[in-house]
């Protein structure tokens, strides 16, 4: 029956009504529900509610956690008010290098939950498989990294458009914010109002991203942050991914890692309650006092946002960055790891691009 | 092929310990097509005209004119018949005594029917139950009918039948056909005719002047002919342990469906809604759930429109318990509006009933409340009608005085229109 698609778009069900995920796989793009109700063992209807007791079945998208490596973890949660989790989280990492991507689908657009997840994974794919080898000159290396960030945003945008119904009157839209941690360098970018915070152990905490929002426009025009962010239009974003995107030029930022610290990528479901970098750092310290692992921090940040009301979907991706052992000169120090990474990539385009990077860094 | 859509208006948030979920479900039908031509069966149309002795010359002539206009408006191919009713029902057309009791409309039958109508003359008493039972028998003689509709015109009380006789006839006709009922003059009983119309999923109205009758009949037939969906049911699923407090149609008119359901399965009940054309109707549902823990989200109801076993649209009514008073304290504007409109309808009916029994205190209080509700909910039509029955001192507080001399027609117009609702403003 076609009308159910509104509630549960695109899900394929077997004749038995079973939906299962392969072990170790990531959450699906679509809402997928278990087949039996956890409360009464009744059957879960295709609309996501038990046909006996009416309890809402938890979608596999409602809450998920990722920790690809010991120093990085993220939690994505539906919050307490929204009926669907339109935030998306995509992480990848090994001992030396990491990628964290957070997207926040716009609630008023169609299928933004599907689009945001597709966008996050597309950006991660580009950022992870494109590894500008060699050092080059600092300026040439920076140019290469910037180009990669832009390309990741473009790939994310194509993913959103690719998951948009051509007939949609309200095409899917999403924010994006991501960070790549590699070789003493944090490279981050964003479009919309998802954020990156860099909280060095020794130094001033900063918001490393820059919102594309009416609130930020107000701040630029001289308004106080607290006032601008409290206005009713504050969350109107001025740049986004999607078929009706007006400007895909991201804000980018390259930060040299000089001291250990925490890097957090998050959606506005978290920072709404703690916008200023100083306050954010304070909250992180409070959470770390209870659990100093990345997974513990991410969980506590999300729980804290839910305690504040959980008015929006909440995503927090956390990376603990140590220097110098962890990040020093990976390319030269461990060439084997590099080779391995290239083999992992099955994206022909990105391999070509990787090659072309080497031609742009002739001074090796 | 008709397209149905649904929209749910509600505040799904419940405070700790609260159990009642209210919602307005708007169901809209488009591309309904013409009755009898959508491939789901034939339709039958019966015109019943009161030909009792009380019908004045003017009213009788108007009734004949109206019945002829109705015959003109019935689409060719529709099964139809004409009943003249007094203390006995008389099948004026087709003139048959056995076999199929209705014939298909065509130019020849149209002329014959008009000739039969022209021969009507006022005589005898009134036994409306017997008219309905004849209509039922006529519809039953044509097995291919999917949609069955009656127009009933009367001018007087049901003198020749007891109340149980009429009630018994109505009961036998439940679900058999739909009946739009119209009264002419001031001798008929609004409550009696409303009982018939509500039971048979139709409308009731007073025709103030015989001149208007042909136009009214034409409109009623045209509307019936535009109902390409001959029969649909409102289905409501509620969770195990939940209780349906009420189910009401609240727009375009208030009709309580709560006790008219039949079980589909242990958790699903089906309520009759009759035929649908291109239109939208609002339903107010209230479900009482077992209280759940804060933060729990569950479904309170699945509200569906179905034809037979096919579900054409579904609205989800939800419940979410929250400790945040800014969320739980809000009442959905749609729910508030229709709660007021429903109370308005009963305040008018109860006020007029009290007035008829000489209970001026209750009448003043109820009609005062009606004036207040009509003002609050922006029902200008009800405000105007009330103003012909009471002197309004202050609409905001519902302070009114009963008028001494009321035009009976005004009172009946107020009564018959009491169930008509307005949609929310803005």
């Amino acid at each position: 029956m076609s009308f159910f698609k509104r509630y549960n778009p695109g899900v394929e069900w077997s004749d038995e009504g079973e939906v299962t995920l392969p072990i170790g796989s990531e959450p699906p793009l679509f809402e997928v529900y278990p087949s039996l109700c956890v409360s009464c063992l009744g059957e879960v209807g295709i609309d996501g509610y038990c046909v006996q007791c009416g309890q809402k079945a938890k979608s596999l998208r409602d809450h998920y956690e990722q920790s690809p490596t010991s120093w990085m973890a993220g939690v994505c949660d539906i919050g307490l008010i929204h009926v669907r989790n339109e935030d998306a989280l995509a992480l990848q990492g090994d001992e030396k290098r990491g990628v964290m991507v957070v997207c926040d689908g716009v609630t008023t657009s169609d299928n933004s939950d599907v689009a945001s997840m597709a966008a996050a994974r597309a950006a991660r794919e580009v950022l992870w498989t494109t590894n500008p080898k060699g050092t080059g000159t600092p300026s040439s290396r920076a140019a290469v990294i910037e180009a990669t960030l832009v390309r990741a945003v473009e790939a994310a945008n194509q993913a959103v458009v690719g998951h948009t119904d051509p007939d949609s009157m309200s095409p899917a839209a999403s924010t994006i914010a991501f960070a790549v941690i590699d070789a003493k360098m944090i490279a981050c970018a964003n479009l919309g109002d998802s954020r990156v915070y860099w909280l060095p152990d020794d130094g001033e905490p900063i918001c490393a991203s820059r919102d594309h929002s009416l609130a930020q426009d107000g701040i630029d025009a001289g308004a106080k942050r607290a006032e601008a962010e409290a206005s009713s239009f504050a969350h109107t974003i001025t740049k986004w991914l999607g078929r009706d995107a007006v400007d895909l030029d991201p804000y980018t930022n390259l930060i040299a890692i000089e001291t250990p610290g925490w890097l957090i990528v998050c959606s506005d479901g978290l920072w709404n309650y703690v916008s200023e970098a100083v306050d954010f750092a304070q909250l992180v310290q409070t959470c770390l006092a209870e659990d100093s692992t990345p997974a513990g921090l991410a969980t506590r940040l999300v729980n804290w946002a839910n305690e504040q009301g959980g008015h929006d979907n909440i995503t927090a991706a956390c990376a603990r960055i140590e220097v110098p052992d962890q990040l020093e000169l990976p390319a030269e120090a461990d060439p084997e790891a590099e080779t391995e990474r290239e083999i992992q990539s099955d994206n022909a385009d990105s391999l070509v691009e990787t090659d072309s990077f080497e031609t742009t860094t002739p001074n090796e | 092929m008709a397209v149905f859509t649904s929209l749910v208006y509600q505040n799904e948030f419940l405070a700790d310990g609260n159990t009642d979920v209210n919602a307005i479900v708007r169901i809209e039908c488009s591309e309904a097509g013409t009755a009898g031509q959508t491939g789901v069966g034939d339709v039958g149309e019966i015109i019943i005209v009161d030909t009792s002795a009380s019908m004045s010359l003017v009213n009788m002539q108007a009734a004949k004119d109206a019945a002829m206009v109705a015959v003109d408006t019935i689409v060719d191919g529709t099964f139809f018949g004409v009943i003249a009713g007094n203390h006995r029902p008389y099948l004026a057309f087709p003139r048959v005594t056995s076999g199929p009791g209705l014939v298909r409309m065509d130019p020849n039958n149209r002329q014959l029917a008009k000739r039969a109508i022209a021969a009507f003359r006022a005589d005898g008493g009134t036994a409306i139950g017997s008219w309905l039972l004849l209509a039922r028998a006529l519809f039953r003689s044509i097995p291919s009918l999917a949609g069955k509709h009656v127009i009933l015109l009367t001018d007087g009380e049901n003198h020749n039948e007891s109340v149980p006789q009429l009630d018994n006839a109505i009961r036998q006709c439940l679900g058999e056909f739909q009946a739009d009922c119209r009264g002419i003059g001031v001798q008929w009983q609004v409550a009696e005719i409303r009982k018939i119309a509500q039971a048979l999923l139709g409308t009731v109205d007073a025709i103030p002047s015989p001149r208007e009758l042909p136009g009214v009949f034409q409109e009623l037939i045209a509307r019936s002919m535009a109902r390409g969906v001959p029969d649909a049911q409102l289905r409501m699923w509620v969770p195990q342990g939940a209780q349906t407090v009420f189910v009401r149609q609240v727009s375009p008119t208030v009709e309580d469906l709560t006790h008219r359901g039949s079980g589909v399965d242990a958790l699903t009940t089906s309520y009759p809604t009759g035929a649908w054309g291109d239109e939208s109707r609002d339903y107010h549902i209230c479900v009482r759930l077992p209280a759940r823990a804060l933060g729990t989200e569950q479904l309170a109801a699945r509200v569906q429109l179905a034809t037979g076993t096919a579900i054409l649209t579904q609205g989800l009514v939800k419940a979410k318990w929250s400790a945040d008073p800014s969320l739980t304290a809000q009442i959905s504007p749609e729910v508030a509006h229709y709660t007021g409109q429903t109370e308005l309808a009963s305040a008018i009916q109860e006020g007029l009933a009290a007035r008829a029994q000489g209970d001026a205190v209750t009448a003043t209080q109820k009609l005062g409340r009606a004036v207040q509700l009509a003002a609050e909910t922006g029902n200008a039509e009800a405000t105007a009608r009330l103003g012909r029955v009471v002197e309004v001192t202050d609409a905001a507080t519902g302070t009114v005085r009963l008028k001494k001399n009321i035009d009976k027609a005004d009172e009946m117009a107020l009564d018959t229109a009491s169930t008509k609702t307005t949609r929310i403003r803005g």
Side-chain angles (χ1 to χ4, degrees), chain A residues 338-362:
Chain A
E338 288 302 311
T339 315
E340 201 177 302
R341 203 171 295 136
E342 278 190 10
I343 293 166
Q344 277 176 357
S345 167
D346 54 4
N347 184 326
D349 284 350
S350 66
L351 282 178
V352 171
E353 289 286 344
T354 308
D355 290 343
S356 74
F357 284 162
E358 294 189 295
T359 64
T360 62
T361 53

PDB file of all heavy atoms in Angstrom, chain A residues 338-362:
ATOM      1  N   GLU A 338      50.548   3.535   4.493  1.00  0.00           N
ATOM      2  CA  GLU A 338      50.034   4.327   3.375  1.00  0.00           C
ATOM      3  C   GLU A 338      49.601   3.432   2.226  1.00  0.00           C
ATOM      4  O   GLU A 338      48.541   3.587   1.653  1.00  0.00           O
ATOM      5  CB  GLU A 338      51.110   5.293   2.883  1.00  0.00           C
ATOM      6  CG  GLU A 338      51.376   6.438   3.829  1.00  0.00           C
ATOM      7  CD  GLU A 338      50.124   7.231   4.095  1.00  0.00           C
ATOM      8  OE1 GLU A 338      49.437   7.592   3.123  1.00  0.00           O
ATOM      9  OE2 GLU A 338      49.807   7.484   5.272  1.00  0.00           O
ATOM     10  N   THR A 339      50.473   2.491   1.901  1.00  0.00           N
ATOM     11  CA  THR A 339      50.160   1.584   0.802  1.00  0.00           C
ATOM     12  C   THR A 339      48.858   0.857   1.079  1.00  0.00           C
ATOM     13  O   THR A 339      47.976   0.760   0.239  1.00  0.00           O
ATOM     14  CB  THR A 339      51.292   0.538   0.663  1.00  0.00           C
ATOM     15  OG1 THR A 339      52.520   1.222   0.741  1.00  0.00           O
ATOM     16  CG2 THR A 339      51.166  -0.200  -0.650  1.00  0.00           C
ATOM     17  N   GLU A 340      48.756   0.414   2.307  1.00  0.00           N
ATOM     18  CA  GLU A 340      47.567  -0.331   2.702  1.00  0.00           C
ATOM     19  C   GLU A 340      46.312   0.522   2.478  1.00  0.00           C
ATOM     20  O   GLU A 340      45.315   0.047   1.985  1.00  0.00           O
ATOM     21  CB  GLU A 340      47.694  -0.659   4.188  1.00  0.00           C
ATOM     22  CG  GLU A 340      46.838  -1.816   4.644  1.00  0.00           C
ATOM     23  CD  GLU A 340      47.118  -2.092   6.098  1.00  0.00           C
ATOM     24  OE1 GLU A 340      48.293  -2.368   6.430  1.00  0.00           O
ATOM     25  OE2 GLU A 340      46.194  -1.981   6.885  1.00  0.00           O
ATOM     26  N   ARG A 341      46.424   1.777   2.809  1.00  0.00           N
ATOM     27  CA  ARG A 341      45.264   2.648   2.700  1.00  0.00           C
ATOM     28  C   ARG A 341      44.839   2.808   1.243  1.00  0.00           C
ATOM     29  O   ARG A 341      43.666   2.835   0.924  1.00  0.00           O
ATOM     30  CB  ARG A 341      45.578   4.008   3.326  1.00  0.00           C
ATOM     31  CG  ARG A 341      44.329   4.748   3.754  1.00  0.00           C
ATOM     32  CD  ARG A 341      44.687   5.975   4.547  1.00  0.00           C
ATOM     33  NE  ARG A 341      45.327   5.640   5.796  1.00  0.00           N
ATOM     34  CZ  ARG A 341      46.395   6.252   6.277  1.00  0.00           C
ATOM     35  NH1 ARG A 341      46.965   7.216   5.601  1.00  0.00           N
ATOM     36  NH2 ARG A 341      46.897   5.916   7.426  1.00  0.00           N
ATOM     37  N   GLU A 342      45.821   2.880   0.392  1.00  0.00           N
ATOM     38  CA  GLU A 342      45.477   3.012  -1.020  1.00  0.00           C
ATOM     39  C   GLU A 342      44.759   1.776  -1.541  1.00  0.00           C
ATOM     40  O   GLU A 342      43.810   1.871  -2.289  1.00  0.00           O
ATOM     41  CB  GLU A 342      46.746   3.233  -1.854  1.00  0.00           C
ATOM     42  CG  GLU A 342      47.188   4.677  -1.838  1.00  0.00           C
ATOM     43  CD  GLU A 342      48.296   4.924  -2.843  1.00  0.00           C
ATOM     44  OE1 GLU A 342      48.570   4.025  -3.673  1.00  0.00           O
ATOM     45  OE2 GLU A 342      48.865   6.003  -2.781  1.00  0.00           O
ATOM     46  N   ILE A 343      45.216   0.641  -1.080  1.00  0.00           N
ATOM     47  CA  ILE A 343      44.596  -0.602  -1.544  1.00  0.00           C
ATOM     48  C   ILE A 343      43.153  -0.683  -1.062  1.00  0.00           C
ATOM     49  O   ILE A 343      42.279  -1.146  -1.773  1.00  0.00           O
ATOM     50  CB  ILE A 343      45.424  -1.825  -1.053  1.00  0.00           C
ATOM     51  CG1 ILE A 343      46.769  -1.812  -1.758  1.00  0.00           C
ATOM     52  CG2 ILE A 343      44.676  -3.121  -1.304  1.00  0.00           C
ATOM     53  CD1 ILE A 343      47.787  -2.713  -1.147  1.00  0.00           C
ATOM     54  N   GLN A 344      42.918  -0.179   0.131  1.00  0.00           N
ATOM     55  CA  GLN A 344      41.567  -0.207   0.676  1.00  0.00           C
ATOM     56  C   GLN A 344      40.563   0.515  -0.213  1.00  0.00           C
ATOM     57  O   GLN A 344      39.419   0.137  -0.314  1.00  0.00           O
ATOM     58  CB  GLN A 344      41.529   0.494   2.044  1.00  0.00           C
ATOM     59  CG  GLN A 344      41.949  -0.408   3.191  1.00  0.00           C
ATOM     60  CD  GLN A 344      41.985   0.377   4.474  1.00  0.00           C
ATOM     61  OE1 GLN A 344      41.748   1.587   4.479  1.00  0.00           O
ATOM     62  NE2 GLN A 344      42.278  -0.301   5.563  1.00  0.00           N
ATOM     63  N   SER A 345      41.066   1.530  -0.845  1.00  0.00           N
ATOM     64  CA  SER A 345      40.145   2.347  -1.620  1.00  0.00           C
ATOM     65  C   SER A 345      39.733   1.632  -2.894  1.00  0.00           C
ATOM     66  O   SER A 345      40.566   1.166  -3.653  1.00  0.00           O
ATOM     67  CB  SER A 345      40.816   3.668  -1.983  1.00  0.00           C
ATOM     68  OG  SER A 345      40.053   4.308  -2.963  1.00  0.00           O
ATOM     69  N   ASP A 346      38.431   1.557  -3.117  1.00  0.00           N
ATOM     70  CA  ASP A 346      37.972   0.982  -4.371  1.00  0.00           C
ATOM     71  C   ASP A 346      37.349   2.065  -5.247  1.00  0.00           C
ATOM     72  O   ASP A 346      36.621   1.811  -6.170  1.00  0.00           O
ATOM     73  CB  ASP A 346      36.968  -0.146  -4.114  1.00  0.00           C
ATOM     74  CG  ASP A 346      35.831   0.323  -3.243  1.00  0.00           C
ATOM     75  OD1 ASP A 346      35.799   1.535  -2.908  1.00  0.00           O
ATOM     76  OD2 ASP A 346      34.980  -0.494  -2.895  1.00  0.00           O
ATOM     77  N   ASN A 347      37.661   3.276  -4.892  1.00  0.00           N
ATOM     78  CA  ASN A 347      37.098   4.396  -5.629  1.00  0.00           C
ATOM     79  C   ASN A 347      38.120   4.865  -6.664  1.00  0.00           C
ATOM     80  O   ASN A 347      39.128   5.497  -6.340  1.00  0.00           O
ATOM     81  CB  ASN A 347      36.764   5.523  -4.646  1.00  0.00           C
ATOM     82  CG  ASN A 347      36.094   6.680  -5.352  1.00  0.00           C
ATOM     83  OD1 ASN A 347      36.408   6.956  -6.513  1.00  0.00           O
ATOM     84  ND2 ASN A 347      35.199   7.339  -4.662  1.00  0.00           N
ATOM     85  N   ALA A 348      37.860   4.503  -7.897  1.00  0.00           N
ATOM     86  CA  ALA A 348      38.832   4.797  -8.958  1.00  0.00           C
ATOM     87  C   ALA A 348      39.112   6.290  -9.084  1.00  0.00           C
ATOM     88  O   ALA A 348      40.247   6.719  -9.225  1.00  0.00           O
ATOM     89  CB  ALA A 348      38.321   4.253 -10.290  1.00  0.00           C
ATOM     90  N   ASP A 349      38.043   7.069  -8.966  1.00  0.00           N
ATOM     91  CA  ASP A 349      38.208   8.526  -9.077  1.00  0.00           C
ATOM     92  C   ASP A 349      39.216   9.041  -8.058  1.00  0.00           C
ATOM     93  O   ASP A 349      40.097   9.825  -8.367  1.00  0.00           O
ATOM     94  CB  ASP A 349      36.872   9.227  -8.841  1.00  0.00           C
ATOM     95  CG  ASP A 349      35.983   9.098 -10.053  1.00  0.00           C
ATOM     96  OD1 ASP A 349      36.511   8.642 -11.088  1.00  0.00           O
ATOM     97  OD2 ASP A 349      34.795   9.438  -9.952  1.00  0.00           O
ATOM     98  N   SER A 350      39.035   8.573  -6.841  1.00  0.00           N
ATOM     99  CA  SER A 350      39.874   9.140  -5.794  1.00  0.00           C
ATOM    100  C   SER A 350      41.331   8.685  -5.959  1.00  0.00           C
ATOM    101  O   SER A 350      42.237   9.415  -5.602  1.00  0.00           O
ATOM    102  CB  SER A 350      39.344   8.758  -4.417  1.00  0.00           C
ATOM    103  OG  SER A 350      39.463   7.372  -4.238  1.00  0.00           O
ATOM    104  N   LEU A 351      41.518   7.508  -6.535  1.00  0.00           N
ATOM    105  CA  LEU A 351      42.894   7.080  -6.767  1.00  0.00           C
ATOM    106  C   LEU A 351      43.547   7.976  -7.808  1.00  0.00           C
ATOM    107  O   LEU A 351      44.679   8.395  -7.662  1.00  0.00           O
ATOM    108  CB  LEU A 351      42.923   5.620  -7.235  1.00  0.00           C
ATOM    109  CG  LEU A 351      42.736   4.591  -6.115  1.00  0.00           C
ATOM    110  CD1 LEU A 351      42.721   3.184  -6.700  1.00  0.00           C
ATOM    111  CD2 LEU A 351      43.853   4.731  -5.086  1.00  0.00           C
ATOM    112  N   VAL A 352      42.803   8.301  -8.834  1.00  0.00           N
ATOM    113  CA  VAL A 352      43.323   9.214  -9.848  1.00  0.00           C
ATOM    114  C   VAL A 352      43.683  10.549  -9.198  1.00  0.00           C
ATOM    115  O   VAL A 352      44.767  11.082  -9.389  1.00  0.00           O
ATOM    116  CB  VAL A 352      42.282   9.418 -10.972  1.00  0.00           C
ATOM    117  CG1 VAL A 352      42.740  10.524 -11.901  1.00  0.00           C
ATOM    118  CG2 VAL A 352      42.091   8.120 -11.737  1.00  0.00           C
ATOM    119  N   GLU A 353      42.749  11.006  -8.377  1.00  0.00           N
ATOM    120  CA  GLU A 353      42.998  12.274  -7.704  1.00  0.00           C
ATOM    121  C   GLU A 353      44.232  12.192  -6.814  1.00  0.00           C
ATOM    122  O   GLU A 353      45.038  13.097  -6.749  1.00  0.00           O
ATOM    123  CB  GLU A 353      41.779  12.660  -6.852  1.00  0.00           C
ATOM    124  CG  GLU A 353      40.559  13.088  -7.666  1.00  0.00           C
ATOM    125  CD  GLU A 353      40.739  14.458  -8.266  1.00  0.00           C
ATOM    126  OE1 GLU A 353      41.632  15.191  -7.833  1.00  0.00           O
ATOM    127  OE2 GLU A 353      39.981  14.800  -9.192  1.00  0.00           O
ATOM    128  N   THR A 354      44.383  11.054  -6.126  1.00  0.00           N
ATOM    129  CA  THR A 354      45.526  10.896  -5.243  1.00  0.00           C
ATOM    130  C   THR A 354      46.817  10.999  -6.052  1.00  0.00           C
ATOM    131  O   THR A 354      47.768  11.661  -5.657  1.00  0.00           O
ATOM    132  CB  THR A 354      45.460   9.533  -4.535  1.00  0.00           C
ATOM    133  OG1 THR A 354      44.176   9.409  -3.944  1.00  0.00           O
ATOM    134  CG2 THR A 354      46.520   9.428  -3.469  1.00  0.00           C
ATOM    135  N   ASP A 355      46.796  10.356  -7.206  1.00  0.00           N
ATOM    136  CA  ASP A 355      47.975  10.450  -8.072  1.00  0.00           C
ATOM    137  C   ASP A 355      48.235  11.901  -8.453  1.00  0.00           C
ATOM    138  O   ASP A 355      49.358  12.374  -8.428  1.00  0.00           O
ATOM    139  CB  ASP A 355      47.751   9.628  -9.348  1.00  0.00           C
ATOM    140  CG  ASP A 355      47.755   8.134  -9.034  1.00  0.00           C
ATOM    141  OD1 ASP A 355      48.248   7.781  -7.947  1.00  0.00           O
ATOM    142  OD2 ASP A 355      47.252   7.364  -9.859  1.00  0.00           O
ATOM    143  N   SER A 356      47.193  12.571  -8.787  1.00  0.00           N
ATOM    144  CA  SER A 356      47.392  13.941  -9.252  1.00  0.00           C
ATOM    145  C   SER A 356      47.922  14.825  -8.132  1.00  0.00           C
ATOM    146  O   SER A 356      48.622  15.790  -8.388  1.00  0.00           O
ATOM    147  CB  SER A 356      46.088  14.513  -9.815  1.00  0.00           C
ATOM    148  OG  SER A 356      45.203  14.802  -8.752  1.00  0.00           O
ATOM    149  N   PHE A 357      47.587  14.469  -6.915  1.00  0.00           N
ATOM    150  CA  PHE A 357      48.159  15.241  -5.805  1.00  0.00           C
ATOM    151  C   PHE A 357      49.671  15.155  -5.813  1.00  0.00           C
ATOM    152  O   PHE A 357      50.378  16.116  -5.545  1.00  0.00           O
ATOM    153  CB  PHE A 357      47.655  14.709  -4.454  1.00  0.00           C
ATOM    154  CG  PHE A 357      46.246  15.132  -4.167  1.00  0.00           C
ATOM    155  CD1 PHE A 357      45.509  14.466  -3.219  1.00  0.00           C
ATOM    156  CD2 PHE A 357      45.670  16.190  -4.846  1.00  0.00           C
ATOM    157  CE1 PHE A 357      44.223  14.852  -2.948  1.00  0.00           C
ATOM    158  CE2 PHE A 357      44.405  16.576  -4.586  1.00  0.00           C
ATOM    159  CZ  PHE A 357      43.656  15.896  -3.632  1.00  0.00           C
ATOM    160  N   GLU A 358      50.161  13.953  -6.135  1.00  0.00           N
ATOM    161  CA  GLU A 358      51.623  13.792  -6.097  1.00  0.00           C
ATOM    162  C   GLU A 358      52.287  14.662  -7.148  1.00  0.00           C
ATOM    163  O   GLU A 358      53.358  15.184  -6.933  1.00  0.00           O
ATOM    164  CB  GLU A 358      51.969  12.316  -6.300  1.00  0.00           C
ATOM    165  CG  GLU A 358      51.478  11.489  -5.129  1.00  0.00           C
ATOM    166  CD  GLU A 358      51.983  10.080  -5.164  1.00  0.00           C
ATOM    167  OE1 GLU A 358      51.623   9.347  -6.099  1.00  0.00           O
ATOM    168  OE2 GLU A 358      52.758   9.708  -4.267  1.00  0.00           O
ATOM    169  N   THR A 359      51.588  14.850  -8.259  1.00  0.00           N
ATOM    170  CA  THR A 359      52.174  15.718  -9.280  1.00  0.00           C
ATOM    171  C   THR A 359      52.154  17.174  -8.841  1.00  0.00           C
ATOM    172  O   THR A 359      52.933  17.970  -9.309  1.00  0.00           O
ATOM    173  CB  THR A 359      51.419  15.600 -10.618  1.00  0.00           C
ATOM    174  OG1 THR A 359      50.107  16.075 -10.412  1.00  0.00           O
ATOM    175  CG2 THR A 359      51.398  14.174 -11.118  1.00  0.00           C
ATOM    176  N   THR A 360      51.231  17.486  -7.908  1.00  0.00           N
ATOM    177  CA  THR A 360      51.204  18.885  -7.464  1.00  0.00           C
ATOM    178  C   THR A 360      52.202  19.120  -6.325  1.00  0.00           C
ATOM    179  O   THR A 360      52.332  20.218  -5.837  1.00  0.00           O
ATOM    180  CB  THR A 360      49.819  19.307  -6.989  1.00  0.00           C
ATOM    181  OG1 THR A 360      49.482  18.495  -5.855  1.00  0.00           O
ATOM    182  CG2 THR A 360      48.773  19.160  -8.070  1.00  0.00           C
ATOM    183  N   THR A 361      52.822  18.071  -5.844  1.00  0.00           N
ATOM    184  CA  THR A 361      53.811  18.255  -4.777  1.00  0.00           C
ATOM    185  C   THR A 361      55.158  17.719  -5.261  1.00  0.00           C
ATOM    186  O   THR A 361      55.642  16.686  -4.824  1.00  0.00           O
ATOM    187  CB  THR A 361      53.389  17.516  -3.494  1.00  0.00           C
ATOM    188  OG1 THR A 361      53.129  16.150  -3.862  1.00  0.00           O
ATOM    189  CG2 THR A 361      52.146  18.109  -2.885  1.00  0.00           C
ATOM    190  N   PRO A 362      55.761  18.419  -6.217  1.00  0.00           N
ATOM    191  CA  PRO A 362      56.961  17.903  -6.891  1.00  0.00           C
ATOM    192  C   PRO A 362      58.218  17.975  -6.012  1.00  0.00           C
ATOM    193  O   PRO A 362      59.219  17.377  -6.364  1.00  0.00           O
ATOM    194  CB  PRO A 362      57.090  18.807  -8.110  1.00  0.00           C
ATOM    195  CG  PRO A 362      56.413  20.079  -7.696  1.00  0.00           C
ATOM    196  CD  PRO A 362      55.380  19.731  -6.691  1.00  0.00           C
TER     197      PRO A 362
END
